[in-house]
Amino acid sequence: MKSLLLITTLLIIPGLFARAASAEQEKAFVAKYKDALEANDSATLQSVLYTTGADPMIVGFYKMMQSGGAGDKVSKIELAEKFASTLNRRRSS
């Protein structure tokens, strides 16, 4: 359960600041992330983190959190819009 929450959180946060992707791009991203997580591919997992201008300590924390469930079988992974109202406002601006 913790791994699912971690994965969902890591997928939502970068999505808040990124431009909208097509459905195909989202599916490709999720598949790439799932494969990297199951294969314990740290380089690929870290490549999806948006680090421009970020505090190095926070980036280190997210890298540490990503590695927590790496190598395990992922039963379910999906992109979720947790803050739909915020996203709708940003997209309409």
Side-chain angles (χ1 to χ4, degrees):
M1 185 65 182
K2 288 182 183 180
S3 294
L4 180 59
L5 178 61
L6 171 65
I7 292 167
T8 304
T9 302
L10 290 173
L11 292 176
I12 290 173
I13 291 173
L16 293 174
F17 303 102
R19 65 181 192 275
S22 69
E24 295 81 24
Q25 289 172 323
E26 288 179 356
K27 287 179 185 178
F29 172 81
V30 171
K32 177 182 174 182
Y33 193 89
K34 180 183 176 201
D35 292 343
L37 191 62
E38 290 179 343
N40 198 10
D41 183 355
S42 299
T44 301
L45 289 172
Q46 292 175 11
S47 73
V48 301
L49 289 176
Y50 182 76
T51 59
T52 303
D55 182 333
M57 289 183 67
I58 294 172
V59 172
F61 171 77
Y62 276 101
K63 287 179 180 180
M64 178 191 66
M65 294 301 293
Q66 276 184 326
S67 65
D72 296 339
K73 178 75 175 144
V74 177
S75 60
K76 182 179 179 183
I77 185 171
E78 62 185 20
L79 288 176
E81 290 190 27
K82 185 170 181 161
F83 305 104
S85 61
T86 303
L87 290 173
N88 289 337
R89 280 185 288 178
R90 288 184 183 176
R91 289 179 182 158
S92 65
S93 299

